[in-house]
Amino acid sequence: MSETAQVSSLPLPPMQYVTLFSEENTKRGRTPRPPPPITDNYSMFGNPYNTDDAVIRPLESQNIRRLYPNNYDHRRELKKLNHSITASFLDLVDICIRNPESEARATKIDDLTLLFIHMHHLVNEFRPHQARETLRVMLEQQKRQRLEIAERFRRHFDKAWELVQQAISTIPEPTESNIKLLIDIERVQPSEGNSNNQACGNGCAEEDRVLCQIIDLL
């Protein structure tokens, strides 16, 4: 039984371009530079565009007849277009049933195409508003994350401060006996010049003699 061949719905990437971005070329900086920005006219999906054009081009600039006035309510016009598309579709179905070869069928298809173009245009006019709302949501999310990080840092700081205060409270208070012991230890410590003293007369080193004195004080 032959294995089922897997076919991708997308074209394969251009290998003559992909091989230029190998790891070695990337490390050595030999990858191709990005294309320069477009400064004049360009074509996209077979339609000519200009960099100075508005994001949402008017219908008149695309040689499309406008079906609604210049001052309009988006919601109202979208509802009207939706009703018109439904009615035109039912008319098209009726024409296809009665006389499929009639010229009215092509006319009705053109009407439906024009209605869908207008609906698509009205929906695209909401893109700037959608972009602003998307940016607002992203900023609110970043603000919430930063506030949560600041709150966690504050809790860790308070916990660390509490541990430090507990450690300080466990340190015993200095007493007269401890102070006297410290004074006596400082008194019997050898000076820096005598750090390498030789053995004293009784046969013990100076360091041993100091330790013995400290033990006696304890």
Side-chain angles (χ1 to χ4, degrees):
M1 183 176 180
S2 61
E3 297 181 357
T4 303
Q6 296 182 357
V7 180
S8 176
S9 60
L10 300 176
L12 295 176
M15 297 309 299
Q16 67 274 13
Y17 183 76
V18 173
T19 53
L20 298 177
F21 288 87
S22 61
E23 294 184 0
E24 183 179 358
N25 290 344
T26 303
K27 292 179 180 179
R28 298 185 179 183
R30 297 179 179 177
T31 55
R33 297 180 61 84
I38 300 174
T39 57
D40 49 5
N41 300 327
Y42 63 97
S43 177
M44 183 172 61
F45 300 111
N47 298 322
Y49 293 92
N50 190 285
T51 55
D52 297 331
D53 293 340
V55 177
I56 307 298
R57 296 194 302 170
L59 293 172
E60 291 78 8
S61 65
Q62 306 177 45
N63 298 323
I64 299 175
R65 179 169 56 91
R66 181 185 291 270
L67 298 180
Y68 48 84
N70 293 326
N71 298 325
Y72 54 89
D73 181 16
H74 286 76
R75 182 180 299 178
R76 182 179 179 182
E77 295 300 330
L78 284 172
K79 287 182 178 180
K80 290 168 60 177
L81 288 172
N82 189 28
H83 295 160
S84 299
I85 288 173
T86 303
S88 298
F89 179 76
L90 294 177
D91 293 341
L92 178 62
V93 172
D94 184 67
I95 292 172
C96 291
I97 293 173
R98 296 178 181 274
N99 188 6
E101 302 299 330
S102 174
E103 295 181 357
R105 182 175 66 88
T107 303
K108 189 58 64 175
I109 291 176
D110 293 339
D111 293 341
L112 279 171
T113 302
L114 184 62
L115 291 172
F116 276 114
I117 290 175
H118 278 73
M119 180 174 283
H120 186 262
H121 180 77
L122 288 175
V123 172
N124 281 339
E125 288 185 346
F126 283 107
R127 296 300 182 186
H129 174 72
Q130 180 187 11
R132 289 193 298 269
E133 288 298 314
T134 303
L135 180 61
R136 182 182 62 82
V137 172
M138 291 174 59
L139 292 176
E140 289 181 353
Q141 183 179 4
Q142 293 179 5
K143 177 183 177 182
R144 183 170 59 254
Q145 291 176 352
R146 284 168 171 77
L147 290 176
E148 292 176 356
I149 293 174
E151 180 63 22
R152 290 199 300 268
F153 176 79
R154 188 188 63 81
R155 291 198 300 265
H156 288 304
F157 176 81
D158 294 342
K159 185 175 181 180
W161 180 261
E162 182 180 357
L163 292 175
V164 171
Q165 295 300 322
Q166 291 178 359
I168 293 176
S169 62
T170 56
I171 298 177
E173 295 292 336
T175 59
E176 294 183 359
S177 60
N178 294 336
I179 296 175
K180 181 178 179 182
L181 176 60
L182 292 175
I183 294 175
D184 294 338
I185 292 175
E186 292 178 356
R187 185 178 304 171
V188 300
Q189 283 181 346
S191 61
E192 294 180 358
N194 297 328
S195 59
N196 296 324
N197 289 337
Q198 301 294 330
C200 52
N202 56 2
C204 65
E206 183 66 19
E207 292 82 357
D208 296 337
R209 184 181 62 81
V210 172
L211 290 175
C212 293
Q213 292 179 358
I214 294 174
I215 293 174
D216 294 338
L217 293 175
L218 296 176

